[in-house]
Amino acid sequence: MKVLIVGSGGREHSLAEAFAKDINKKDIYVAPGNGGIALDYKCLPLRSKEEIVEWCRENHPDLVMVGPEQYLAEGLSDSLNEEGISCIGSSQSAARIESSKIFAKTLMTKYHIPTASYVAFEDKEQALAYVRYLGKYPLVIKADGLAAGKGVIIADNQSQAEKAVHTLGNKVVVEEYLKGWEVSLFVITDGKDFKTTLFSQDHKQLGENDTGPNTGGMGAFCPVKEAEPYRKQIENQIVAPILEGLKAEGCPYKGFLYCGLIITDQGPKVLEFNCRLGDPETQAILPLLQTSFTDICYAIINNTVSDLKLKWSPQSSVCVVLASQGYPGSFSTGFPITVKPSISSMIRYAGVENKDGQLVTSGGRVLSLVALGKTLAEARKKVYKDVNQVDFNGKYFRRDISLRKNKL
Ligand code: AMP
Ligand code: GLY
């Protein structure tokens, strides 16, 4: 059994660890991976879709698991399927659920899925005229295409709204601002049936108490008990109809679907769908999964998700991201990373490279630490103890991961 994981972050490191419960480590490849993942797994210097397809053609992996959305939006999954290679990742046309906000919002409206009301624009002047006419704040402005977490601006006044339209380009969605608390849910589907995972919660903003700019995610925890009462409603009113809708539109969804939800006083609504697993949520969820991840992948491929039994540890997990000072703005790299051997948390490497045998920082989100505990409080205590066991120049992290009050 040979597996290729595509991507280079903490999510992909977690995926490698999940496969390693079933498969020999030497048969797990990561492309391109990073210097930290390479301590345990073979990392391949493949970056483009073409390079990945070429490697697969020559090396015949039994399974390819795609982490990031860009490859799926470029059609990697379709290209691999054409080669007869099993790939976990949505088709290019289904990936539009993430790669085009206009596509996603149109679909949600057509299939009556609760989400913020919106108007889509393909012309900047029209968007500006609408924003001026509306005059209601806060107002949410989203770029249509993939924007690596930088495509959403919440404007508090007219000048911010106009600036947002200028920044985000011609194709934008102008959306009602929703009040509530956010939660993430992953869906496992073969296009026919689906199962949902535990709920998890990302902490997207840089600063404590959810202040400052949005980032790729500063930490996550799992499970989110406060979301459980909404599970059936989310499955019936959001998950089932979006999968039906995608099928009816000729692009059935197969793989993992990420639902970014907000619980409002009118119930759960969709903020976004992503065509992949979340980062850093995956780092928090996977250590609690007791069902074999490889079995889950084969259930997706073989259309047997209806028979899949998901088993979860009753524990809780907390994941804290250690980032470079300055992120998500500009930051310096190349600082040596030291890890004390007494560390007990799991380490998931992201922005890290190996320079002459020494791990050094190479990205904004450098690594994450994940700890499990009987309770969320216990997991949090463990992970924050270990934050001091890792050091690098300019280490920055949030001290309040998992402390959010999930109440309306
Ligand atoms: P998205 O990429 O669409 O999930 O947006 C990124 C973040 O912006 C979300 O996690 C929310 O915190 C915020 N956001 C997006 N849309 C809305 C909305 N309609 N109302 C309030 N906040 C939003
Ligand atoms: N955690 C947010 C995302 O993966 O998009």
Side-chain angles (χ1 to χ4, degrees):
M1 172 93 197
K2 196 186 321 180
V3 172
L4 173 68
I5 299 161
V6 177
S8 64
R11 169 183 50 203
E12 287 72 27
H13 193 176
S14 298
L15 287 166
E17 296 291 334
F19 279 119
K21 289 185 186 159
D22 308 318
I23 300 168
N24 221 317
K25 279 193 174 178
K26 69 170 184 27
D27 295 321
I28 301 173
Y29 296 78
V30 189
N34 63 55
I37 299 178
L39 297 176
D40 282 317
Y41 301 93
K42 177 96 182 121
C43 289
L44 307 167
L46 311 169
R47 290 193 181 269
S48 71
K49 178 182 114 178
E50 290 71 27
E51 287 172 336
I52 292 164
V53 174
E54 184 60 34
W55 185 88
C56 291
R57 206 181 277 138
E58 283 168 15
N59 294 278
H60 307 288
D62 297 284
L63 196 67
V64 178
M65 168 81 212
V66 185
E69 62 277 14
Q70 292 86 348
Y71 294 100
L72 299 168
E74 286 173 12
L76 176 60
S77 186
D78 311 72
S79 301
L80 291 173
N81 285 327
E82 279 163 27
E83 298 285 336
I85 291 161
S86 296
C87 175
I88 301 290
S90 71
S91 66
Q92 184 173 35
S93 61
R96 285 180 297 164
I97 195 86
E98 175 167 7
S99 67
S100 168
K101 294 273 186 210
I102 297 179
F103 174 80
K105 293 297 280 191
T106 309
L107 208 62
M108 283 189 259
T109 309
K110 186 164 171 188
Y111 294 94
H112 312 292
I113 292 162
T115 187
S117 61
Y118 76 103
V119 183
F121 294 93
E122 306 223 351
D123 176 274
K124 199 183 271 185
E125 290 309 318
Q126 284 182 9
L128 283 171
Y130 179 72
V131 159
R132 287 182 198 123
Y133 154 78
L134 211 60
K136 218 170 90 187
Y137 299 96
L139 190 62
V140 184
I141 300 154
K142 300 186 176 184
D144 179 56
L146 291 181
K150 297 200 173 79
V152 177
I153 296 176
I154 298 172
D156 288 320
N157 53 51
Q158 183 171 324
S159 94
Q160 283 180 9
E162 290 189 20
K163 201 170 147 213
V165 173
H166 284 295
T167 311
L168 297 177
N170 271 322
K171 277 192 170 183
V172 294
V173 168
V174 178
E175 202 174 275
E176 163 201 20
Y177 177 83
L178 295 175
K179 256 182 90 164
W181 54 273
E182 291 181 42
V183 68
S184 308
L185 182 67
F186 300 158
V187 178
I188 301 163
T189 179
D190 51 20
K192 195 164 51 84
D193 297 290
F194 71 84
K195 294 276 155 76
T196 53
T197 66
L198 293 178
F199 286 99
S200 59
Q201 191 168 59
D202 187 6
H203 294 60
K204 285 193 178 128
Q205 282 177 273
L206 181 70
E208 276 143 35
N209 300 313
D210 302 317
T211 51
N214 259 339
T215 69
M218 295 302 296
F221 72 92
C222 180
V224 185
K225 296 215 169 71
E226 299 87 343
E228 278 310 326
Y230 299 97
R231 181 179 293 273
K232 274 284 154 248
Q233 196 181 346
I234 292 166
E235 290 185 344
N236 294 336
Q237 296 178 4
I238 293 172
V239 180
I242 196 68
L243 296 178
E244 278 304 315
L246 283 159
K247 205 188 316 174
E249 299 297 319
C251 41
Y253 197 96
K254 222 171 148 68
F256 294 95
L257 177 69
Y258 172 116
C259 305
L261 306 164
I262 184 162
I263 311 297
T264 72
D265 57 9
Q266 296 171 342
K269 296 191 179 191
V270 177
L271 284 178
E272 63 168 345
F273 287 114
N274 293 325
C275 61
R276 52 171 174 82
L277 290 168
D279 186 333
E281 290 97 323
T282 300
Q283 290 91 305
I285 289 185
L286 284 183
L288 299 178
L289 178 66
Q290 292 180 333
T291 309
S292 142
F293 190 73
T294 315
D295 287 353
I296 294 178
C297 291
Y298 275 108
I300 294 170
I301 290 167
N302 297 329
N303 302 321
T304 54
V305 166
S306 66
D307 301 333
L308 195 58
K309 301 246 178 320
L310 293 181
K311 232 184 130 222
W312 300 97
S313 155
Q315 289 182 294
S316 293
S317 74
V318 178
C319 163
V320 175
V321 171
L322 307 188
S324 298
Q325 191 70 51
Y327 170 79
S330 59
F331 52 84
S332 303
T333 57
F335 298 120
I337 301 166
T338 56
V339 181
K340 295 216 179 97
S342 51
I343 194 162
S344 70
S345 296
M346 294 167 261
I347 306 178
R348 301 293 180 247
Y349 288 106
V352 168
E353 66 185 21
N354 189 324
K355 220 170 166 194
D356 307 323
Q358 166 71 53
L359 289 187
V360 301
T361 63
S362 67
R365 291 189 299 161
V366 174
L367 57 90
S368 50
L369 298 180
V370 187
L372 306 186
K374 274 203 205 77
T375 60
L376 211 48
E378 191 183 295
R380 184 168 55 241
K381 201 168 150 198
K382 280 193 195 165
V383 78
Y384 278 112
K385 194 170 140 246
D386 277 341
V387 150
N388 299 319
Q389 312 274 318
V390 178
D391 214 11
F392 55 86
N393 200 333
K395 176 181 80 178
Y396 170 80
F397 60 92
R398 271 179 69 159
R399 292 168 195 276
D400 64 345
I401 303 299
S402 85
L403 284 175
R404 205 183 270 153
K405 300 268 173 285
N406 292 319
K407 279 199 302 217
L408 287 172

